[in-house]
Amino acid sequence: MFMLTENAALLLAVAAPVLTLAAMNLALALGGERGTLLLPGLGPLEVTRRAANALPAASAPAGREAPANDPDFRRAA
């Protein structure tokens, strides 16, 4: 019986902080807060990342750089 009580106490000690954070974030979300730790919202960085990923691959710049074995680069080295 003592082992059951000890295991239950350890489980409660680990679960209490996690459940507290989850309850706090749920209360904030229900109150209208956005961008909390466990419930991240769409911030400006997320919107920018999605817009950047939406560009087609064909819109990449087609300009080419000079090769590294160009005589000017060889002279500078």
Side-chain angles (χ1 to χ4, degrees), residues 46-61:
E46 181 69 21
V47 172
T48 304
R49 183 187 65 83
R50 287 187 182 195
N53 287 340
L55 292 176
S59 68

Side-chain angles (χ1 to χ4, degrees), residues 25 28-29 33-41:
N25 280 290
L28 286 171
E33 184 72 27
R34 296 293 175 248
T36 58
L37 181 64
L38 293 177
L39 302 169

Side-chain angles (χ1 to χ4, degrees), residues 1-9:
M1 186 67 181
F2 178 71
M3 195 64 149
L4 178 66
T5 307
E6 185 177 330
N7 286 339

